[in-house]
Amino acid sequence: MQLQYPSLMAAVATSLNGSIGNFTQEPPKNFGFVLYDSFDVLDISGSIEPLYLLSSSHQLNLSLIAESMAPVYMRPAANETNPVHSHFQLSVNPTHTFEDPPQDLDVLFVPGGGGERLGNITAAVDFVRNTYPRVKYLITVCTGAGVAARAGLLDGKRATTNKASWDKIIPLGKGVQWTSPARWVVDGNIWTSSGVTAGIDLMFAFIEKFYGKDIAHRIQAVTEHKRTFDPCDDPFAAINNVPPSGHCK
Amino acid sequence: MQLQYPSLMAAVATSLNGSIGNFTQEPPKNFGFVLYDSFDVLDISGSIEPLYLLSSSHQLNLSLIAESMAPVYMRPAANETNPVHSHFQLSVNPTHTFEDPPQDLDVLFVPGGGGERLGNITAAVDFVRNTYPRVKYLITVCTGAGVAARAGLLDGKRATTNKASWDKIIPLGKGVQWTSPARWVVDGNIWTSSGVTAGIDLMFAFIEKFYGKDIAHRIQAVTEHKRTFDPCDDPFAAINNVPPSGHCK
């Protein structure tokens, strides 16, 4: 049985006849996602999913970049306790290494995860520091802002991070204008989001800005994501007892 | 530097002193996620993430079950067009095969994805059909309901699926009481959600029911997920022009 437009991807692509935005600037095309041990899987997939659907109508390329080509695990970090002895982990496969990354990245994406604070992720921090000057945009989700802060890239900039990990992350960037409440923050070419699912809202805003409102709305309809449109709409700052600081936009 | 409570997992675990629910029934412990070619990565990680955080305080085990131990890809399905030649894919690694699965699964989880309609996933359909009688709960997210419908497991039951793929999925289960609007539906021991991120709301409701409200709220605070609490709250039925049918609860 041949179905011509059967998938979510096709549902996005076929809705776009003639409505692809007319932008003066070439939108980003090559996305590199940094992986490290004990990364957070929803941090990456919350952004990979809408971009995957976008890739049915816009030529996009995805790279997953890690210290080696070995599978990278979401699991408790090396010196983190696992008191109830759960065995709950998942691994994804890199496509490139930090030593031999794609040379034409437009966007560098840094997720959070327990490894950010507990593991030895010096190689990831160095890669992010060295790669930032060559990309057009840097995106961090959740405690991924801690990686960018350790790389020195957020100094003097407004940025945010997971409000439940606030006290652990902000000391990593003493020169950063840490901002709360904020579901996400844009300062120049650096986009930082608050915890985990806030990254989905960041990515929808990113897609809307660079690829247009029509495709963003269509991807929203297909993923059924109840978007937060206002970057300042962040109830989790109060829930996690984070005091106000900075300006979310 | 030794940080005792540094991660999101620990932030959940340490908030629970004495507040773990007192339930008469043993809550589910062993989760098996079915993978097949062209599955949807956010369908699985939207549920794996809150369960991962739950696993810091409750002993849980995760299995990823596929036809073989080879990496399984989120990518356009075999006979799906890729008109703009994107290269946007990601692979995850199974822990078990359909032929040699864990014998003590409590929950079987079936994601959606283009492969559900376009690929040869007979082996996955057979596995779901044969395994359902041995588990306590079946969960489907997005077009994963189509897999369960093809396995005959939804006949005579209320169920829902992605509203953007409604017309493609409901013919797969002619005896099903397909329900719209519905963000998710529970009928007996079968939980089905609407598209992609609706699955996150289903999983929070599942965690709340079986592990308690306190831990569900704590995981929500840490993942910063803006939950939908009412399974009938489904704006995407109208957005995707799906007519009302059935009862969402």
Side-chain angles (χ1 to χ4, degrees):
Chain A
M1 181 173 57
Q2 181 72 26
L3 298 174
Q4 197 169 4
Y5 298 127
S7 71
L8 300 189
M9 284 191 83
V12 171
T14 57
S15 69
L16 285 177
N17 299 327
S19 69
I20 293 174
N22 183 15
F23 298 89
T24 51
Q25 201 183 353
E26 181 91 4
K29 192 169 123 172
N30 300 318
F31 290 76
F33 281 61
V34 173
L35 300 178
Y36 52 83
D37 189 40
S38 305
F39 77 103
D40 190 291
V41 69
L42 189 46
D43 286 2
I44 69 161
S45 56
S47 285
I48 286 177
E49 168 88 20
L51 290 170
Y52 174 70
L53 294 168
L54 179 68
S55 78
S56 67
S57 59
H58 293 68
Q59 207 269 314
L60 303 183
N61 302 303
L62 172 65
S63 303
L64 299 154
I65 314 168
E67 190 165 4
S68 79
M69 293 298 282
V72 186
Y73 283 83
M74 177 201 73
R75 60 186 169 191
N79 59 345
E80 186 169 25
T81 56
N82 182 9
V84 296
H85 306 293
S86 287
H87 188 79
F88 209 93
Q89 57 186 41
L90 170 150
S91 66
V92 305
N93 299 303
T95 62
H96 293 76
T97 62
F98 295 150
E99 283 197 352
D100 191 17
Q103 292 304 309
D104 55 354
L105 290 180
D106 296 312
V107 180
L108 185 65
F109 182 104
V110 185
E116 187 284 313
R117 283 143 287 163
L118 281 172
N120 176 6
I121 62 154
T122 307
V125 172
D126 289 346
F127 174 72
V128 170
R129 182 188 299 113
N130 295 335
T131 304
Y132 173 69
R134 297 202 298 270
V135 299
K136 294 176 185 158
Y137 304 98
L138 174 69
I139 297 173
T140 73
V141 167
C142 194
T143 57
V147 179
R150 286 172 61 180
L153 303 179
L154 304 184
D155 285 339
K157 297 199 182 281
R158 292 178 305 113
T160 198
T161 188
N162 191 316
K163 303 307 180 297
S165 299
W166 192 256
D167 293 343
K168 308 296 185 304
I169 297 299
I170 61 170
L172 301 175
K174 296 190 194 305
V176 182
Q177 296 173 44
W178 292 108
T179 300
S180 170
R183 195 145 172 91
W184 73 89
V185 167
V186 183
D187 190 340
N189 67 352
I190 298 183
W191 296 54
T192 55
S193 90
S194 197
V196 194
T197 62
I200 306 177
D201 293 316
L202 177 155
M203 185 48 70
F204 271 99
F206 188 89
I207 289 171
E208 184 164 313
K209 178 174 175 67
F210 293 106
Y211 309 89
K213 196 171 276 199
D214 286 349
I215 183 74
H217 286 192
R218 185 60 195 153
I219 295 173
Q220 185 192 2
V222 165
T223 58
E224 301 195 4
H225 177 56
K226 295 186 175 180
R227 281 180 67 183
T228 294
F229 289 87
D230 179 359
C232 304
D233 179 1
D234 172 20
F236 296 103
I239 288 169
N240 288 301
N241 300 310
V242 174
S245 64
H247 301 281
C248 60
K249 62 183 175 187
Chain B
M1 182 173 57
Q2 180 72 27
L3 297 174
Q4 197 170 5
Y5 299 126
S7 72
L8 299 190
M9 284 191 83
V12 170
T14 57
S15 70
L16 284 177
N17 299 325
S19 70
I20 293 174
N22 182 14
F23 297 91
T24 52
Q25 203 185 350
E26 182 91 4
K29 191 168 123 173
N30 300 318
F31 290 77
F33 280 61
V34 173
L35 300 178
Y36 52 82
D37 190 40
S38 305
F39 77 103
D40 188 291
V41 69
L42 188 46
D43 287 2
I44 67 160
S45 55
S47 284
I48 286 177
E49 169 88 18
L51 291 171
Y52 174 71
L53 294 169
L54 180 67
S55 78
S56 66
S57 59
H58 293 68
Q59 207 269 313
L60 303 183
N61 302 302
L62 172 64
S63 304
L64 299 155
I65 314 168
E67 192 165 3
S68 79
M69 293 298 281
V72 187
Y73 284 82
M74 176 200 74
R75 59 185 170 193
N79 60 343
E80 186 169 24
T81 56
N82 182 7
V84 295
H85 306 293
S86 287
H87 188 79
F88 209 93
Q89 57 186 42
L90 170 149
S91 67
V92 306
N93 299 301
T95 62
H96 294 77
T97 63
F98 295 150
E99 284 198 351
D100 191 17
Q103 291 305 306
D104 54 355
L105 289 179
D106 297 312
V107 179
L108 186 65
F109 182 105
V110 185
E116 188 284 313
R117 283 142 285 163
L118 281 172
N120 176 5
I121 62 154
T122 307
V125 172
D126 290 345
F127 174 73
V128 170
R129 183 189 298 112
N130 295 335
T131 304
Y132 173 69
R134 297 201 299 269
V135 300
K136 294 176 185 159
Y137 303 98
L138 174 69
I139 296 173
T140 74
V141 167
C142 194
T143 57
V147 180
R150 287 172 61 180
L153 303 180
L154 304 183
D155 285 339
K157 298 197 182 283
R158 294 179 301 113
T160 199
T161 189
N162 191 316
K163 303 306 180 299
S165 299
W166 191 256
D167 294 344
K168 308 296 185 304
I169 297 299
I170 62 170
L172 301 176
K174 295 191 194 304
V176 182
Q177 298 172 44
W178 292 109
T179 301
S180 171
R183 193 143 174 94
W184 72 91
V185 167
V186 182
D187 190 340
N189 67 352
I190 298 183
W191 296 54
T192 55
S193 89
S194 197
V196 195
T197 61
I200 307 178
D201 293 316
L202 178 154
M203 184 48 69
F204 271 99
F206 189 88
I207 289 172
E208 183 164 314
K209 179 175 174 65
F210 293 107
Y211 309 89
K213 196 171 279 198
D214 285 349
I215 183 75
H217 286 193
R218 186 59 196 154
I219 294 172
Q220 185 193 1
V222 165
T223 57
E224 300 195 4
H225 177 56
K226 293 187 175 181
R227 282 179 67 183
T228 295
F229 289 86
D230 179 359
C232 304
D233 178 2
D234 173 19
F236 297 101
I239 288 170
N240 289 302
N241 301 311
V242 174
S245 63
H247 301 282
C248 60
K249 60 183 176 186

